[in-house]
């Protein structure tokens, strides 16, 4: 039963990761080619284990720059890079979570410490909240860019 639950959790996590990557790739496809700072296909490099922790920082920055560039072309003023701060927080949190996962996989003595278990649970909850919020922010910018492009055509 434990193995089945683990398999269901793993499949669910992979499905969500693919959907999240697709959201980012599709957002970049919405940005006009001249304003894209990253080829949408390169977002899929996030599926490469370990490398993805580094690549996540690049993707976050390039998406923010692409959105900013698109908005500037449309005459929409931004005070900072859209999605960048939350994306950076997500990338940092995700990297820390990766380190904590390695500690758990190696079964170092620290994972049996009550403080570690409690803080890891709290951290995981915070990471999920950041992840969902960032995902929503990306989706909103995609919708906004589509709307602005539609208005410009009419």
């Amino acid at each position: 039963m434990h193995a089945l639950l683990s398999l269901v959790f793993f499949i669910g996590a992979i499905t969500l990761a693919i959907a999240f990557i697709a959201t980012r790739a599709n957002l970049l496809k919405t940005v006009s080619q001249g304003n894209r700072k990253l080829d949408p296909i390169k977002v899929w490099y996030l599926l490469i284990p370990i490398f993805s922790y580094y690549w996540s920082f690049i993707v976050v920055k390039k998406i923010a720059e692409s959105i900013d560039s698109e908005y500037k072309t449309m005459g929409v003023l931004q005070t900072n890079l859209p999605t960048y701060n939350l994306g950076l927080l997500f990338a940092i949190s995700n990297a820390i979570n990766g380190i904590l996962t390695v500690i758990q996989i190696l079964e170092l003595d620290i994972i049996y410490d009550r403080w570690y278990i409690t803080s890891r649970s709290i951290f995981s909850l915070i990471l999920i909240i950041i992840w969902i919020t960032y995902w929503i922010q990306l989706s909103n910018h995609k919708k906004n860019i589509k709307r602005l492009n539609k208005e410009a055509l009419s």
Side-chain angles (χ1 to χ4, degrees):
M1 183 65 168
H2 178 64
L4 179 62
L5 231 102
S6 294
L7 179 63
V8 169
F9 178 79
F10 177 75
I11 291 171
I14 293 296
T15 302
L16 284 172
I18 289 171
F20 183 51
I21 292 169
T23 297
R24 294 190 270 183
N26 290 333
L27 170 59
L28 284 169
K29 289 177 187 174
T30 305
V31 172
S32 59
Q33 200 165 5
N35 290 327
R36 283 185 208 149
K37 307 303 178 193
L38 181 68
D39 185 343
I41 199 76
K42 291 183 178 180
V43 173
W44 291 99
Y45 294 174
L46 290 166
L47 290 174
I48 302 170
I50 301 170
F51 174 74
S52 64
Y53 293 109
Y54 159 75
W55 193 243
S56 185
F57 288 92
I58 304 301
V59 170
V60 162
K61 187 169 194 276
K62 297 298 182 183
I63 285 175
E65 290 173 348
S66 298
I67 295 169
D68 186 56
S69 188
E70 187 76 357
Y71 282 154
K72 283 180 181 171
T73 300
M74 296 174 167
V76 178
L77 298 176
Q78 297 290 312
T79 56
N80 55 13
L81 287 176
T83 74
Y84 182 70
N85 291 335
L86 192 57
L88 183 61
L89 183 60
F90 169 74
I92 291 167
S93 301
N94 196 38
I96 292 169
N97 190 55
I99 293 167
L100 295 174
T101 301
V102 168
I103 290 170
Q104 189 169 350
I105 289 170
L106 295 175
E107 293 190 19
L108 301 178
D109 288 338
I110 190 174
I111 67 167
Y112 302 109
D113 182 65
R114 183 170 294 196
W115 178 87
Y116 176 82
I117 293 168
T118 304
S119 60
R120 176 76 197 265
S121 299
I122 292 169
F123 184 79
S124 294
L125 180 62
I126 291 169
L127 176 58
I128 289 169
I129 292 168
I130 292 168
W131 178 41
I132 291 169
T133 307
Y134 181 50
W135 197 341
I136 291 168
Q137 195 178 74
L138 292 168
S139 294
N140 288 340
H141 280 288
K142 179 184 168 195
K143 289 176 192 170
N144 194 36
I145 290 169
K146 279 185 168 182
R147 181 185 56 78
L148 290 169
N149 280 332
K150 193 174 183 180
E151 286 175 5
L153 294 174
S154 20

